[in-house]
Amino acid sequence: MSDGETGHSNRVALLVFLILIAGSVVAGDSVLETDKQVLLELKSFLEEQNLINRGNYSEWNPQDSTPCAWPGISCDVNGTRVTRIDLSDNDIAGDIFGNFSGLTALTYLDLSKNTLGGAIPGDLGQCQNLKFLNLSHNIIDGELNLTGFNSLEVLDLSLNRIGGEIQSTLPEICNSLVVANLSTNNFTGVIGNSFDHCRNLQYLDLSSNNLSGDLWFGFGRLKEFSVSENKLDGNVSAGIFTSNCSLQSLDLSGNSFFGEFPKEISNCKQLVELNLWGNNFTGPIPKDIGSILSLQELLLGSNKFSSKIPESLLGLSNLTILDLSNNNFGGDIQEIFGQFTQVKFLLLHSNSYTGGLHSSGILKLPNIYRLDLSYNQFSGPLPAEISQMVSLKFLVLAHNQFAGIYLQIMEICMDSKPLISPTTS
Ligand SMILES: *[C@@H]1O[C@H](CO)[C@@H](O)[C@H](O)[C@H]1NC(C)=O
Ligand SMILES: *[C@@H]1O[C@H](CO)[C@@H](O)[C@H](O)[C@H]1NC(C)=O
Ligand SMILES: *[C@@H]1O[C@H](CO)[C@@H](O)[C@H](O)[C@H]1NC(C)=O
Ligand SMILES: *[C@@H]1O[C@H](CO)[C@@H](O)[C@H](O)[C@H]1NC(C)=O
Ligand SMILES: *[C@@H]1O[C@H](CO)[C@@H](O)[C@H](O)[C@H]1NC(C)=O
Ligand SMILES: *[C@@H]1O[C@H](CO)[C@@H](O)[C@H](O)[C@H]1NC(C)=O
Ligand SMILES: *[C@@H]1O[C@H](CO)[C@@H](O)[C@H](O)[C@H]1NC(C)=O
Ligand SMILES: *[C@@H]1O[C@H](CO)[C@@H](O)[C@H](O)[C@H]1NC(C)=O
Ligand SMILES: *[C@@H]1O[C@H](CO)[C@@H](O)[C@H](O)[C@H]1NC(C)=O
Ligand SMILES: *[C@@H]1O[C@H](CO)[C@@H](O)[C@H](O)[C@H]1NC(C)=O
Ligand SMILES: *[C@@H]1O[C@H](CO)[C@@H](O)[C@H](O)[C@H]1NC(C)=O
Ligand SMILES: *[C@@H]1O[C@H](CO)[C@@H](O)[C@H](O)[C@H]1NC(C)=O
C-alpha cells in the first residue's frame, strides 16, 4: 500500500470516528452519564461496607469519560449503555446494593463468591431487562420474593441461606427461565406446581434443601433435574416419564421415595446419569434401563432393590459407574457382576456378601479402576488375583473378615504393583 493510499484511509477513519463521537453525544451520552453516576454510587456503597479488602471496583475512576472500560463493567456494542456487571469473587461483604434498577439497561449481574448477606432487595426485581443473575456462594437469607424478575433466563442462588417456600413467587417470573439453581439453601415446604408454567426451563437444581412432600410431576421435559438431599417422599409415578422425556441427568438421591421405580424411565433415551441412591425403592431393578444406551452412571445404592440384576444392563456400553452398595444383598456376589467389562467404578460395599469373589469373576474385570467391597462379611485369605488387576487404582476391603492380614487401612491405593501381595499372610 502506498503512502498516499494510507493517508487517504486514515482520513476516512478519522472522519468515521468523528461522526461516531458526534452521534454518541447526541444519542447516548446523557443516559451513559446516568449509568456512570449509579456505578459511582455503587462504588461508594461498597467502599463504605468494605474498609479493608477491596475488589476491582475501587479502580473505577470518576475522571474517565466512560465507565465501559472499568474492570467488571461491560457496555452494549455501541458503548452507550452499561449492560453487564461482574463483581464475582471481589471480597464484598455486607448488604446487596439497593439501586441496581437505576441501571435500566442492565441484563447481566454476577455477584457470586462474595460474603453478601441480608435479603435480596426488592429493587433487583425492578431491573426490567435482567436476564442473568448469579448470587451464588454468599450468605443471603430471608425469603424468596422474585416479583418483577420477568426477563430472567438464568438464576443461580445456590449456596446461600434463603428460607421459606419456593412456590410463593415463582410462577410469575417463569416465562423465560432456562436455568434455576436453588441448591444448598434452607427452603422448606412442598415443591407443588411452582414450575408448571416454566415452559422454557431446562436445568433445575433444588438439591440440599429442606423440601418435603411429593415429587413434582413435570420434570420429564427438562434436561437436568436434581432434588438430591431433601425430605421428599412418595412414589415415583410412571406418568412422569412420557415418550418425549428429554432428561439427561436425574438425581433423586437422599430422600425417602419408596415403591417400585417405574420401567417407563426407558423413555428417557438421552439419560446419562440416573441417581436413586439413598431412598427406599423396592422390587426389581427395571430391565428396561438396559435400553438407555447413553447411560454412564447408574447409582442405586442404599435402597432395597431385589438382588437379581437384569442382564440387559450388560449391553450399556458407556456405563462407567455402577453403584449397588447397601441393598441387603447376601450370600455370594451375583455372578453377573463379573460380566460388566465396561465398568470402571463398581461399588458393592455395605451388603452382606459372604463369598463369590472368585466365582463372580469381578477380580478379572479388565477396566475396573475403583472396587469397593468394604462392609461385607468376606472371610478367608485375601485373593491372589488382586495383585494382577491391571487397571485397579483403588481397592476398598475394610470391615470384612479376611484372614491373615489385618486391614487397618480403609483404602488401598494401587500406585505401584504389586502393592499388596497375598503372601504377606
Ligand atoms: C447501536 O447503534 C445503532 C445505530 O444507531 C442502533 O441501530 C442499534 O440499535 C444500537 N445498538 C444498541 C445495542 O444500542
Ligand atoms: C480484577 O480485574 C482483572 C482484570 O480485569 C482480573 O484479571 C481480576 O481477576 C479481577 N480481580 C477480581 C478480584 O475480580
Ligand atoms: C437510583 O438511581 C437513579 C438514577 O441515577 C436515581 O434517579 C435514583 O434517585 C436512585 N435511587 C436511589 C434510591 O438511590
Ligand atoms: C455462578 O457463579 C459461580 C461461582 O462464581 C459459578 O461456579 C457458577 O457456574 C455460576 N452459575 C452460572 C449459572 O453461571
Ligand atoms: C414481593 O415483593 C413485591 C415488590 O417488591 C411486593 O409487592 C410483594 O408484596 C412481595 N410479596 C411477598 C409475598 O412478600
Ligand atoms: C448448582 O449449584 C451448585 C453449587 O454451586 C453446583 O454444584 C451445581 O452443579 C449447580 N447445578 C447445576 C444444574 O448447574
Ligand atoms: C433453616 O430454617 C429453619 C426454620 O425453618 C431455622 O430454624 C434454621 O435456623 C434455618 N437454618 C439456617 C442455616 O438458616
Ligand atoms: C428443616 O426444617 C426443620 C423445620 O421445618 C428444621 O427443624 C430443621 O433444622 C431444618 N433442617 C435443615 C437442615 O435446615
Ligand atoms: C410430552 O408428551 C405428553 C403426553 O405424552 C404431552 O402431554 C406433552 O405435552 C408433551 N410435552 C412436550 C414438551 O412435547
Ligand atoms: C425406609 O423405610 C424404613 C422403614 O419404613 C424407615 O425406617 C427408613 O427411615 C426409610 N429410609 C429412608 C431413607 O427413607
Ligand atoms: C406406591 O406406594 C404404595 C404405598 O403407599 C405401595 O403400596 C405401592 O405399591 C406403590 N406403587 C408403586 C407403583 O410402587
Ligand atoms: C458413548 O460415549 C461416546 C463417547 O463419549 C459417545 O460418543 C457415544 O455417543 C456414547 N454412546 C451413546 C449411545 O450415547
Side-chain angles (χ1 to χ4, degrees):
M1 205 187 264
S2 79
D3 279 359
E5 272 168 328
T6 316
H8 176 71
S9 51
N10 278 348
R11 275 195 301 279
V12 171
L14 182 66
L15 193 60
V16 169
F17 181 66
L18 287 175
I19 290 170
L20 281 179
I21 296 227
S24 82
V25 167
V26 177
D29 257 11
S30 55
V31 265
L32 185 60
E33 186 55 31
T34 307
D35 287 355
K36 183 178 156 186
Q37 289 314 318
V38 179
L39 289 176
L40 290 172
E41 278 174 40
L42 169 61
K43 176 184 174 175
S44 7
F45 175 83
L46 294 174
E47 287 180 342
E48 273 165 36
Q49 297 204 51
N50 297 274
L51 298 174
I52 301 166
N53 294 316
R54 285 189 171 159
N56 276 351
Y57 55 84
S58 60
E59 292 160 31
W60 297 352
N61 183 352
Q63 311 302 323
D64 293 340
S65 60
T66 160
C68 294
W70 287 352
I73 302 301
S74 310
C75 292
D76 60 13
V77 282
N78 297 347
T80 53
R81 296 303 309 271
V82 170
T83 54
R84 290 167 68 110
I85 300 179
D86 180 354
L87 290 174
S88 171
D89 204 2
N90 263 254
D91 290 317
I92 302 173
D95 289 341
I96 297 174
F97 179 57
N99 200 10
F100 281 111
S101 66
L103 299 162
T104 52
L106 194 66
T107 60
Y108 181 106
L109 179 59
D110 187 347
L111 301 173
S112 63
K113 281 190 150 177
N114 286 295
T115 323
L116 291 163
I120 299 176
D123 168 76
L124 266 186
Q126 308 298 306
C127 300
Q128 295 296 323
N129 294 305
L130 200 64
K131 292 190 163 74
F132 179 102
L133 177 62
N134 193 344
L135 299 175
S136 162
H137 216 302
N138 280 289
I139 52 168
I140 297 165
D141 54 24
E143 297 203 354
L144 192 63
N145 182 354
L146 297 174
T147 303
F149 287 82
N150 299 317
S151 310
L152 220 51
E153 292 169 10
V154 177
L155 173 66
D156 191 342
L157 300 176
S158 62
L159 289 159
N160 279 290
R161 299 171 182 173
I162 307 169
E165 303 217 357
I166 286 176
Q167 45 176 1
S168 42
T169 56
L170 260 164
E172 49 186 313
I173 67 132
C174 246
N175 286 335
S176 318
L177 205 60
V178 177
V179 178
N181 194 340
L182 306 180
S183 165
T184 325
N185 278 284
N186 200 9
F187 289 115
T188 54
V190 299
I191 305 175
N193 55 5
S194 314
F195 297 95
D196 278 359
H197 301 291
C198 309
R199 300 313 308 178
N200 292 302
L201 196 61
Q202 306 252 280
Y203 302 88
L204 177 57
D205 192 340
L206 301 175
S207 60
S208 300
N209 280 293
N210 212 344
L211 299 167
S212 53
D214 286 332
L215 199 51
W216 169 53
F217 274 21
F219 66 80
R221 62 183 158 80
L222 309 185
K223 286 200 169 84
E224 289 187 28
F225 180 63
S226 173
V227 289
S228 159
E229 304 298 333
N230 278 287
K231 292 181 178 139
L232 299 167
D233 59 20
N235 289 36
V236 177
S237 150
I240 289 174
F241 307 108
T242 57
S243 58
N244 51 15
C245 171
S246 53
L247 283 170
Q248 295 169 3
S249 170
L250 174 60
D251 189 346
L252 304 181
S253 64
N255 284 287
S256 295
F257 297 117
F258 53 78
E260 297 197 2
F261 192 76
K263 63 178 184 340
E264 285 75 8
I265 185 69
S266 62
N267 283 327
C268 309
K269 293 286 175 233
Q270 300 163 57
L271 201 63
V272 173
E273 181 194 349
L274 177 60
N275 191 345
L276 306 180
W277 183 92
N279 282 289
N280 253 335
F281 289 116
T282 48
I285 298 167
K287 68 173 184 330
D288 310 66
I289 291 179
S291 70
I292 312 174
L293 296 177
S294 49
L295 205 62
Q296 295 177 9
E297 299 180 20
L298 181 57
L299 300 133
L300 306 176
S302 292
N303 280 291
K304 292 168 182 159
F305 284 112
S306 48
S307 64
K308 189 169 173 349
I309 314 297
E311 286 195 12
S312 60
L313 300 188
L314 294 172
L316 296 171
S317 60
N318 275 356
L319 191 67
T320 309
I321 304 182
L322 180 56
D323 178 0
L324 274 160
S325 60
N326 196 14
N327 265 282
N328 284 327
F329 298 157
D332 285 355
I333 295 176
Q334 296 91 317
E335 294 202 350
I336 191 170
F337 283 120
Q339 296 173 56
F340 281 100
T341 51
Q342 70 276 44
V343 162
K344 295 197 171 95
F345 294 74
L346 181 57
L347 310 179
L348 296 175
H349 61 83
S350 316
N351 282 297
S352 304
Y353 292 125
T354 50
L357 278 174
H358 296 279
S359 54
S360 69
I362 60 165
L363 300 179
K364 297 205 165 98
L365 287 173
N367 288 308
I368 203 88
Y369 178 88
R370 183 182 184 104
L371 178 60
D372 192 339
L373 300 170
S374 60
Y375 293 90
N376 278 291
Q377 287 156 35
F378 297 114
S379 52
L382 212 55
E385 286 96 329
I386 289 173
S387 60
Q388 280 133 40
M389 294 177 75
V390 276
S391 52
L392 194 66
K393 279 283 181 304
F394 296 96
L395 173 66
V396 194
L397 297 175
H399 295 272
N400 280 290
Q401 290 122 45
F402 287 112
I405 189 165
Y406 185 66
L407 279 178
Q408 281 179 309
I409 358 172
M410 278 291 293
E411 204 166 276
I412 300 169
C413 181
M414 314 276 287
D415 266 342
S416 55
K417 291 175 188 285
L419 203 154
I420 47 162
S421 138
T423 57
T424 44
S425 57

